Amino acid sequence: MEKFYITTAIAYASGKPHIGNTYEIVLADAIARYKRLKGFDVYFQTGTDEHGEKIEGKALENGQTPQEFVDNISREIKRIWDVMNTSYDKFVRTTDEHHKKIVQHIFQKLYDQGDIYLDQYEGWYCTPCESFWTDNQLVDGKCPDCGREVKKRSEESYFFRMSKYQDRLIEYIENHPEFIQPEARKNEMINNFLKPGLQDLCVSRTSFDWGIRVPFNDKHIVYVWIDALSNYITNIGYDTDGGDDTFKKWWPADLHLVGKDIIRFHTIYWPILLMALDLPLPKQVFGHPWLLMNNDKMSKSKGNIMYADDLVSLFGVDAIRYYLLHEIPFQSDGTISYELIIERINSDLANILGNLVNRTISMAKKYFDGEIENKKILEDMDSSYIEMINSLEERVEKRMFKLEIGSALDEIFDTLRASNKYIDDTMPWSLAKEETKRDRLETVLYNLLEGIQVCAVFLKPFLPATSDEIFRQLQTNNLSFCFINDHKYCVLDPTPIFMRIDSSKKLAEIAANKEE
Ligand code: MSP
């Protein structure tokens, strides 16, 4: 069985994640479930990034020790991942003893082989980003990443010889066009960062305590990005002696999913670290776009934050999964609002999917008491419909291969739409009026049930609970990817899977709840 190792970025354990931070785990989950459906041996890892000055400060503000603070937040993040029904295999934490030990081994090895050296650092430090900048890098005297104030700092620090590996990395990226996706990000990395030349990276801090100690100098804490990035290997059995069989099975990762803001860390620092450790590079890093609120960043200070658990209580988990997976395009940022969520639920989930399943099962019940076989009384219009069902696997695969998740969902919904059209074209209610057309009527319903069954299989990775519910109502556990001629259906009474929402009523309800 071919293996597939997929990761998300590990989330900062600095606060409750909003719906934007939650997008990535849902995206990763859809891909992981899809790969499992296609027969891959999948390992899906996520978790929390728990060290650093910012977290130390937040814990202090809260009157907690950093460990108490991250224990709570990490638990909350995991709870939200579970609310979203994500099927990760392992939830890792950077405060885990094993991880800390291996990070120390990595630091020691890099030092012993001369890739890390001690020097004096002077520069501008941005605390929220935990990054040092030079005069030239500042934008209007502020941090180029987040635009906030920076402080002048001078400290003794360990440095990593990035420039030593720069040419090898450029060559690797150019010879592996699939490595950085989407392609625009690859060009950005090469032209803006690699070609101008890499500076040695400052990889330790002495100004705070909450982190992993440098093993041979306990004044120093390992730079949070070395600590965080290493999670991808420390948790699958890596050690500096080469690692165990589990590590050999899973590494290199097949896909690192990360947001566009941290693609630089994953396509420059991380590969160079791996080269220094003499390990193969991950096969692909995908920098996904962001979810915005009316084209603005979500933030507490702007008061425009939405949380996944609140949205799930309002609309249900699969409606929110659908929204995230469908509305955030492959390259450009997506946006979210209550109005847009309701619009999507009504137009796609209720009108197209819910309606089709409900109409079909109701007719099967009404005309045949739920028992449907293929009577094979075919007419011309059937062949294009059956062809559409049979091409779904290939159409979805094409999109998934390129990680165009929203378009993969469109392929399924096009097939559902075609099924609704097939009902309008065949008019089962008219066929039901003529006794001589009974076998044709049963054939039409059989074709529709097959269409629904195949769509439900491909919906599994995206809307797992809905897919299970369709299978329950069809009383089948057949997972075939294409139209089969000899199934026997015995469907249950229909239960609506998605209801239309009265938009103004729901919006008023949400507004009233907010005021409480
Ligand atoms: N801890 C680092 C990652 C270390 S990985 C070795 C980090 N954490 S984070 O909590 O800030 O972000 C986690 C992920 O969520 C990142 O990939 C980030 O890009 C993503 N997102 C944060 N806000 C987002 C949106 N508004 N929309 C979509 N993704 C967003 O970075």
Side-chain angles (χ1 to χ4, degrees):
M1 222 199 277
E2 201 177 332
K3 68 95 187 169
F4 189 79
Y5 174 24
I6 177 171
T7 68
T8 66
I10 46 172
Y12 283 128
S14 54
K16 178 174 174 174
H18 56 60
I19 189 68
N21 302 124
T22 311
Y23 166 60
E24 191 171 295
I25 186 76
V26 175
L27 179 65
D29 183 59
I31 298 169
R33 286 181 187 266
Y34 177 74
K35 287 288 178 184
R36 287 191 200 109
L37 182 71
K38 298 290 281 200
F40 284 75
D41 185 10
V42 173
Y43 176 65
F44 170 17
Q45 184 174 287
T46 186
T48 40
D49 184 357
E50 306 187 3
H51 291 127
E53 189 169 6
K54 193 169 148 194
I55 288 175
E56 189 179 72
K58 286 229 167 175
L60 209 70
E61 272 170 37
N62 263 330
Q64 288 175 312
T65 64
Q67 190 64 55
E68 283 165 350
F69 180 78
V70 295
D71 283 350
N72 284 334
I73 303 280
S74 178
R75 196 177 312 118
E76 179 66 0
I77 293 177
K78 188 167 185 289
R79 187 185 69 80
I80 301 259
W81 283 192
D82 292 339
V83 166
M84 292 313 294
N85 193 11
T86 57
S87 62
Y88 53 84
D89 294 296
K90 191 165 179 182
F91 188 98
V92 305
R93 301 183 55 187
T94 53
T95 49
D96 184 76
E97 287 306 321
H98 179 74
H99 169 79
K100 292 197 281 191
K101 185 178 90 188
I102 308 297
V103 169
Q104 288 185 323
H105 291 179
I106 290 172
F107 207 91
Q108 181 82 54
K109 177 177 162 80
L110 298 174
Y111 181 72
D112 291 345
Q113 69 192 30
D115 280 321
I116 285 180
Y117 61 92
L118 190 63
D119 205 348
Q120 195 67 25
Y121 193 89
E122 189 165 280
W124 297 100
Y125 188 67
C126 173
T127 309
C129 295
E130 310 201 12
S131 298
F132 270 109
W133 304 103
T134 60
D135 282 330
N136 296 343
Q137 288 171 316
L138 297 185
V139 175
D140 300 330
K142 306 248 168 76
C143 170
D145 266 1
C146 73
R148 279 180 274 211
E149 295 292 331
V150 287
K151 286 182 264 177
K152 189 106 195 169
R153 250 197 206 177
S154 168
E155 60 183 60
E156 181 191 81
S157 175
Y158 287 95
F159 287 84
F160 186 98
R161 291 186 209 282
M162 285 279 148
S163 46
K164 177 173 155 192
Y165 296 93
Q166 167 180 318
D167 292 343
R168 245 175 88 188
L169 182 57
I170 295 178
E171 196 188 320
Y172 184 88
I173 294 174
E174 279 173 349
N175 288 336
H176 295 81
E178 72 296 343
F179 177 55
I180 306 179
Q181 287 298 316
E183 196 166 331
R185 308 238 180 266
K186 169 185 129 187
N187 302 334
E188 193 184 316
M189 290 304 119
I190 297 216
N191 298 332
N192 300 358
F193 296 101
L194 285 164
K195 290 262 162 83
L198 289 176
Q199 295 190 356
D200 285 356
L201 179 70
C202 173
V203 289
S204 75
R205 299 283 186 270
T206 50
S207 51
F208 61 91
D209 262 346
W210 182 239
I212 303 175
R213 298 220 168 263
V214 168
F216 44 87
N217 184 344
D218 67 7
K219 274 199 315 212
H220 287 254
I221 298 289
V222 174
Y223 175 45
V224 72
W225 274 99
I226 300 249
D227 167 357
L229 288 162
S230 303
N231 93 85
Y232 301 131
I233 55 176
T234 59
N235 287 290
I236 54 166
Y238 174 74
D239 203 345
T240 39
D241 61 6
D244 61 17
D245 286 346
T246 319
F247 179 70
K248 287 178 186 120
K249 169 173 177 187
W250 295 110
W251 193 257
D254 295 85
L255 179 60
H256 287 319
L257 266 186
V258 299
K260 59 180 185 176
D261 56 321
I262 57 171
I263 191 124
R264 179 163 55 101
F265 297 95
H266 284 81
T267 58
I268 298 179
Y269 298 170
W270 179 228
I272 286 184
L273 196 66
L274 290 165
M275 281 177 177
L277 294 172
D278 206 15
L279 291 174
L281 305 196
K283 293 192 192 143
Q284 191 164 68
V285 179
F286 178 64
H288 61 73
W290 269 33
L291 181 63
L292 304 175
M293 269 298 254
N294 298 322
N295 296 318
D296 209 355
K297 255 188 163 177
M298 275 182 224
S299 79
K300 272 205 182 125
S301 55
K302 289 186 187 130
N304 64 358
I305 291 196
M306 282 181 173
Y307 294 105
D309 49 350
D310 295 338
L311 290 171
V312 167
S313 326
L314 284 168
F315 301 107
V317 59
D318 278 358
I320 299 306
R321 286 177 64 106
Y322 181 77
Y323 190 85
L324 294 175
L325 294 168
H326 186 252
E327 294 306 299
I328 302 176
F330 169 69
Q331 292 219 46
S332 43
D333 292 336
T335 191
I336 188 166
S337 69
Y338 294 116
E339 287 84 348
L340 289 171
I341 296 173
I342 296 171
E343 216 175 285
R344 270 293 144 228
I345 293 177
N346 285 346
S347 66
D348 296 3
L349 298 178
N351 269 11
I352 299 174
L353 173 61
N355 215 1
L356 170 71
V357 175
N358 203 266
R359 284 210 285 174
T360 306
I361 295 186
S362 300
M363 289 190 288
K365 266 285 175 207
K366 182 170 168 192
Y367 302 133
F368 295 96
D369 207 21
E371 300 202 11
I372 305 284
E373 279 182 37
N374 189 1
K375 289 291 188 322
K376 298 185 188 160
I377 307 296
L378 292 169
E379 289 187 10
D380 282 352
M381 67 174 87
D382 297 0
S383 54
S384 59
Y385 175 54
I386 293 174
E387 176 42 39
M388 181 122 193
I389 299 170
N390 281 335
S391 65
L392 188 57
E393 180 185 6
E394 194 188 322
R395 287 185 284 128
V396 170
E397 172 61 28
K398 244 191 197 153
R399 303 298 194 171
M400 291 302 284
F401 182 75
K402 292 196 200 152
L403 301 176
E404 294 169 356
I405 313 296
S407 306
L409 270 167
D410 283 339
E411 296 291 353
I412 303 170
F413 275 75
D414 283 350
T415 311
L416 295 168
R417 230 179 253 113
S419 303
N420 279 317
K421 183 167 180 306
Y422 181 74
I423 298 184
D424 297 341
D425 292 346
T426 51
M427 295 192 290
W429 50 89
S430 296
L431 297 173
K433 289 188 188 134
E434 294 176 55
E435 194 47 42
T436 54
K437 298 277 173 69
R438 244 189 113 63
D439 281 355
R440 170 63 187 154
L441 174 63
E442 195 170 345
T443 307
V444 164
L445 292 177
Y446 181 86
N447 293 347
L448 284 165
L449 287 170
E450 276 298 285
I452 292 173
Q453 182 269 319
V454 172
C455 287
V457 167
F458 287 103
L459 279 176
K460 242 179 186 313
F462 311 98
L463 314 179
T466 301
S467 171
D468 287 349
E469 174 58 17
I470 296 173
F471 281 115
R472 189 191 68 80
Q473 295 191 30
L474 296 186
Q475 286 209 87
T476 176
N477 44 24
N478 142 62
L479 286 179
S480 69
F481 292 173
C482 60
F483 191 97
I484 305 278
N485 268 312
D486 54 3
H487 284 147
K488 282 194 176 63
Y489 286 98
C490 175
V491 302
L492 297 176
D493 281 331
T495 316
I497 46 177
F498 285 103
M499 307 280 261
R500 273 189 75 78
I501 295 175
D502 179 333
S503 184
S504 40
K505 218 166 120 191
K506 190 81 176 181
L507 292 172
E509 200 184 291
I510 294 168
N513 278 346
K514 271 198 181 152
E515 274 165 24
E516 265 172 23

